[in-house]
Amino acid sequence: MRDDLNILILSCGTRNKIVQYFKKELDGRGLVIATDCSNLAPALYEADKHFIVPRMNDEGYLDEILSICKENNIKAVLSLIDPELSLLAKHKQDFLDIGTIPIVSDSDVVEMCFDKYEMFKFLVQSGLPTVKSYIDKAEFYSDVEAGIIDYPVFVKPVRGSASINISKVKTKEEVELLFSRFDNLMIQEFMDGTEYGADVYIDLISTEPVAIFIKEKIKMRAGETDKSVSIKDEKLFELINKFVKRTGFKGIIDIDIFKVNGEYYISEVNPRFGGGYPHAYESGVNVPGKIINNVYGKINEDTIGRYDEGIHMMKFNEVAIIK
Amino acid sequence: MRDDLNILILSCGTRNKIVQYFKKELDGRGLVIATDCSNLAPALYEADKHFIVPRMNDEGYLDEILSICKENNIKAVLSLIDPELSLLAKHKQDFLDIGTIPIVSDSDVVEMCFDKYEMFKFLVQSGLPTVKSYIDKAEFYSDVEAGIIDYPVFVKPVRGSASINISKVKTKEEVELLFSRFDNLMIQEFMDGTEYGADVYIDLISTEPVAIFIKEKIKMRAGETDKSVSIKDEKLFELINKFVKRTGFKGIIDIDIFKVNGEYYISEVNPRFGGGYPHAYESGVNVPGKIINNVYGKINEDTIGRYDEGIHMMKFNEVAIIK
């Protein structure tokens, strides 16, 4: 039992596929254990073992997760929701002390991903192409007058996810109205082009990106990719490589990218498994396998671009039942 | 081959579960054949055989479907999208003439379902409890003054689906703004209560409702039930029975119901398989089996309420891949 490679997936929610993939890749070498604060999280029931835990913000939450790790000989832990990535990154050492590796980037990098304006500033300073963003509306108006940017633009929370509270805005009056109603908004250029998602794995030992899978998003639903097709482009692989190394990401991340007039622009990063990751796995880009290698102390070889173009992914609803 | 009970599912989209259930219930007694206008409709690839067809509004569409029915010895046809229900209902005789039974209510009933204000008027005239609705904003304002209704209210298109363009409105100014911008809107009472969905099968031969499955909606996502729990209530079974018989529905329908202060109110009807039907099937309410019985000329016995309470359904994403 001491040598088992048990993996803990926190806040598993509806991400059944991720649980399935880890089970398949472990292939009996260890258990996949899942947690959620709701017993109506269907992915719980895919796991070999599961725990219903308190809400993440409840007192004692971290201690409960740490003791689940200790008692179940967990070798690696990861979370599928954003706020918990902050927690894992901040308390990385607590997990390492009990022999559990948190699969997450460092705290400063994770926090930058959740602040879209900080990410924008970092990208600009790094000389990487990104989406024009403003938190100062006066600066935005002055750029409109100077012809640097034009309506429509998106107004959205600096911190936010899943397309919640995003408004497409066509006039100064609407910008004023939104800024008068809500705090911590930013104005972002409307990118009239094609949207891509990249699933990237950065080896935990070599710190090199070893897998990049790029999909063109064909159809979105409630902020998630519903249909997509795999593509390859050396120019985009290079841009992602440069960005990922400069930022210092670790483990699995998901990058949103726009292409407008033949140029790529980095938009946002989810420093975790993205909702579209199953497309990468089903196309042969096996991130759970690479995580398992790393936990065994093995360095992964570079497999960037080792997949076929033109593979289409389509989501549909499966149901889980509890009686 | 001539005796096979082949079933055609039109505009199958992402409704893989419906295709799976028909295949399971036919159990080799015939083929399930599916169509869609997009090759990225994952349910196509669940079927025994599939056809990519033109868009429903393209010229010659009906003839193409009729010839698929003829050439594949189709005994029953059904559609999973609203506009096509109108087409099937309107041309019922054309299908019957070639030996194919369209599983759909009559044309006038189908059309009433798609006009939320017509449905409201019908329910009021029938003395059935429903959600207060207005197309005349002056009448609404006067009812606000009389204390018959109060803000917040919903403003939504008279014809519309999947929660698209629904606004929760708190002031007269907002009502005015929306009515000045869009045509064919209605104002609907905000029901502050619990939401239920009922899957009902009305026998095609006896014209009696023979199955009712009621689920309480726990969580919605993009206008669809994401999590639900089965419930039973004789009072609601009776209300549904009365409503369904008075209206003259046929085949499978999905009814939205609210419960406020202990009273049930009928809201809307989708005269087809609802997105939450898998909950009913997985709880033993086997509508594909009843359809197959009817196509064989057998009358279904009354099975209303034959399922357990407290069965939870949770959706999650499955993926289909085409290379």
Side-chain angles (χ1 to χ4, degrees):
Chain A
M1 179 70 186
R2 280 286 102 188
D3 292 330
D4 280 355
L5 200 155
N6 296 342
I7 289 178
L8 182 64
I9 300 179
L10 302 173
S11 303
C12 62
T14 58
R15 309 289 297 275
N16 295 52
K17 299 308 291 180
I18 301 291
V19 175
Q20 287 173 16
Y21 296 153
F22 272 102
K23 279 176 78 171
K24 192 172 165 215
E25 295 305 323
L26 276 174
D27 195 21
R29 290 178 291 172
L31 301 178
V32 177
I33 303 178
T35 70
D36 204 279
C37 64
S38 165
N39 70 325
L40 296 182
L44 286 172
Y45 309 100
E46 293 279 355
D48 294 307
K49 193 172 168 181
H50 71 261
F51 295 95
I52 314 287
V53 294
R55 293 192 157 269
M56 213 204 81
N57 295 322
D58 287 2
E59 213 180 319
Y61 179 80
L62 180 68
D63 287 339
E64 179 142 351
I65 300 302
L66 284 166
S67 71
I68 290 173
C69 287
K70 244 197 263 182
E71 282 160 27
N72 294 278
N73 190 27
I74 299 293
K75 292 287 167 40
V77 60
L78 56 106
S79 173
L80 298 176
I81 62 164
D82 289 341
E84 203 164 32
L85 300 177
S86 301
L87 188 85
L88 282 187
K90 200 174 148 198
H91 297 280
K92 215 171 218 181
Q93 195 57 48
D94 295 334
F95 286 93
L96 292 173
D97 287 348
I98 58 166
T100 304
I101 303 172
I103 312 298
V104 69
S105 295
D106 292 341
S107 201
D108 53 338
V109 175
V110 167
E111 296 313 317
M112 186 172 73
C113 293
F114 297 151
D115 186 316
K116 295 186 179 72
Y117 194 69
E118 286 300 317
M119 179 58 91
F120 164 73
K121 286 195 295 184
F122 172 79
L123 286 162
V124 170
Q125 280 155 16
S126 308
L128 295 165
T130 182
V131 184
K132 278 194 200 76
S133 301
Y134 303 83
I135 44 170
D136 179 353
K137 58 189 167 70
E139 191 190 333
F140 165 67
Y141 296 145
S142 128
D143 273 9
V144 171
E145 282 197 19
I148 293 164
I149 189 167
D150 200 3
Y151 297 98
V153 291
F154 282 110
V155 176
K156 54 162 109 173
V158 170
R159 302 174 74 88
S161 64
S163 306
I164 293 164
N165 294 322
I166 296 187
S167 308
K168 193 173 174 181
V169 161
K170 288 176 196 161
T171 62
K172 186 171 175 174
E173 288 65 40
E174 287 174 272
V175 174
E176 287 293 321
L177 184 70
L178 287 164
F179 271 74
S180 73
R181 277 197 187 170
F182 304 103
D183 289 329
N184 300 317
L185 292 181
M186 66 189 276
I187 300 162
Q188 209 168 48
E189 185 182 8
F190 168 63
M191 304 299 278
D192 193 7
T194 314
E195 206 174 337
Y196 298 88
D199 301 288
V200 183
Y201 188 69
I202 300 100
D203 194 274
L204 297 174
I205 304 171
S206 72
T207 72
E208 292 287 326
V210 290
I212 303 179
F213 176 81
I214 306 170
K215 54 188 176 281
E216 182 183 326
K217 300 177 182 182
I218 300 175
K219 201 186 162 195
M220 303 293 288
R221 179 172 175 263
E224 244 196 65
T225 308
D226 212 44
K227 299 185 201 292
S228 47
V229 58
S230 62
I231 67 128
K232 294 205 244 188
D233 185 338
E234 280 305 325
K235 193 176 145 189
L236 185 50
F237 287 148
E238 273 169 39
L239 172 64
I240 290 170
N241 216 313
K242 195 173 158 189
F243 165 58
V244 158
K245 284 169 122 170
R246 171 128 2 160
T247 320
F249 286 109
K250 281 177 195 156
I252 174 73
I253 67 169
D254 163 49
I255 312 177
D256 289 340
I257 298 142
F258 287 98
K259 187 180 180 180
V260 182
N261 299 327
E263 289 300 318
Y264 291 107
Y265 298 86
I266 295 166
S267 162
E268 293 182 18
V269 179
N270 297 308
R272 55 165 168 78
F273 277 105
Y277 173 70
H279 191 174
Y281 184 85
E282 303 290 345
S283 305
V285 179
N286 178 1
V287 171
K290 291 184 199 300
I291 290 175
I292 293 166
N293 280 343
N294 276 173
V295 177
Y296 273 127
K298 286 185 224 158
I299 293 180
N300 290 291
E301 59 166 348
D302 180 349
T303 60
I304 291 171
R306 281 205 212 149
Y307 59 89
D308 289 327
E309 289 192 278
I311 300 175
H312 285 82
M313 184 275 288
M314 304 158 286
K315 287 188 185 164
F316 64 92
N317 284 323
E318 187 50 78
V319 296
I321 294 287
I322 43 176
K323 297 190 175 178
Chain B
M1 181 67 187
R2 280 285 104 189
D3 292 330
D4 281 356
L5 200 154
N6 297 341
I7 289 178
L8 181 65
I9 300 179
L10 302 174
S11 305
C12 61
T14 59
R15 309 289 296 276
N16 295 52
K17 298 309 291 179
I18 302 291
V19 175
Q20 287 172 17
Y21 296 153
F22 272 101
K23 279 177 78 171
K24 192 172 166 213
E25 295 306 322
L26 276 174
D27 195 22
R29 291 177 292 170
L31 301 178
V32 177
I33 302 178
T35 70
D36 205 279
C37 65
S38 164
N39 71 324
L40 297 182
L44 286 171
Y45 309 99
E46 293 278 355
D48 293 307
K49 192 171 166 181
H50 72 260
F51 295 93
I52 313 289
V53 294
R55 293 193 157 269
M56 213 204 81
N57 294 323
D58 287 2
E59 214 180 318
Y61 179 80
L62 180 68
D63 287 338
E64 179 142 349
I65 300 303
L66 284 166
S67 71
I68 289 173
C69 287
K70 244 195 262 182
E71 282 160 28
N72 294 278
N73 190 26
I74 299 293
K75 293 286 169 39
V77 60
L78 57 105
S79 173
L80 299 175
I81 61 163
D82 290 342
E84 202 164 31
L85 300 176
S86 301
L87 187 85
L88 282 186
K90 202 172 147 199
H91 298 280
K92 216 171 219 181
Q93 196 56 49
D94 294 333
F95 286 94
L96 293 172
D97 287 347
I98 57 164
T100 305
I101 303 172
I103 312 298
V104 70
S105 295
D106 291 340
S107 201
D108 54 337
V109 174
V110 167
E111 296 312 316
M112 187 172 74
C113 293
F114 298 150
D115 186 314
K116 296 184 177 75
Y117 194 70
E118 285 301 317
M119 179 58 90
F120 163 75
K121 286 195 295 184
F122 172 80
L123 286 161
V124 171
Q125 281 155 14
S126 308
L128 295 164
T130 183
V131 183
K132 278 194 200 75
S133 301
Y134 304 83
I135 45 170
D136 178 352
K137 59 189 166 68
E139 192 189 331
F140 165 67
Y141 296 144
S142 128
D143 273 10
V144 171
E145 282 197 15
I148 293 165
I149 189 167
D150 200 3
Y151 296 99
V153 290
F154 282 110
V155 176
K156 53 163 105 173
V158 170
R159 302 174 74 88
S161 65
S163 304
I164 292 164
N165 294 322
I166 296 187
S167 308
K168 194 172 176 183
V169 161
K170 289 175 194 162
T171 62
K172 186 172 174 174
E173 288 65 38
E174 288 173 272
V175 174
E176 287 293 322
L177 183 70
L178 286 164
F179 271 73
S180 73
R181 276 199 190 170
F182 304 103
D183 288 330
N184 300 316
L185 293 181
M186 65 189 277
I187 300 163
Q188 209 167 48
E189 185 181 7
F190 168 64
M191 303 300 278
D192 194 8
T194 315
E195 205 173 339
Y196 299 89
D199 301 288
V200 182
Y201 188 69
I202 301 99
D203 195 272
L204 297 174
I205 303 170
S206 73
T207 71
E208 291 287 326
V210 289
I212 303 179
F213 176 80
I214 306 169
K215 55 189 175 280
E216 182 183 328
K217 299 178 183 182
I218 301 175
K219 199 186 164 196
M220 303 292 287
R221 179 172 175 265
E224 245 196 65
T225 308
D226 210 46
K227 300 185 200 292
S228 48
V229 58
S230 61
I231 67 129
K232 294 205 244 189
D233 185 338
E234 279 306 325
K235 193 174 146 192
L236 185 50
F237 286 148
E238 273 169 40
L239 173 63
I240 290 171
N241 216 314
K242 196 172 157 191
F243 165 58
V244 158
K245 283 168 122 169
R246 172 128 2 160
T247 320
F249 286 109
K250 280 176 196 156
I252 175 73
I253 67 169
D254 163 49
I255 311 178
D256 290 340
I257 297 142
F258 288 97
K259 186 180 183 179
V260 181
N261 299 327
E263 289 300 319
Y264 291 107
Y265 299 85
I266 295 167
S267 163
E268 292 181 19
V269 179
N270 297 307
R272 54 165 168 78
F273 278 106
Y277 172 71
H279 191 175
Y281 184 85
E282 303 290 344
S283 304
V285 179
N286 179 1
V287 172
K290 292 185 198 299
I291 290 175
I292 292 165
N293 281 343
N294 276 173
V295 177
Y296 274 126
K298 288 184 221 158
I299 292 179
N300 290 291
E301 59 166 346
D302 180 349
T303 61
I304 290 172
R306 281 206 213 148
Y307 59 89
D308 290 328
E309 288 193 280
I311 301 176
H312 285 81
M313 183 276 288
M314 305 158 283
K315 286 187 185 164
F316 64 92
N317 284 321
E318 186 50 79
V319 295
I321 294 288
I322 41 173
K323 296 189 178 177

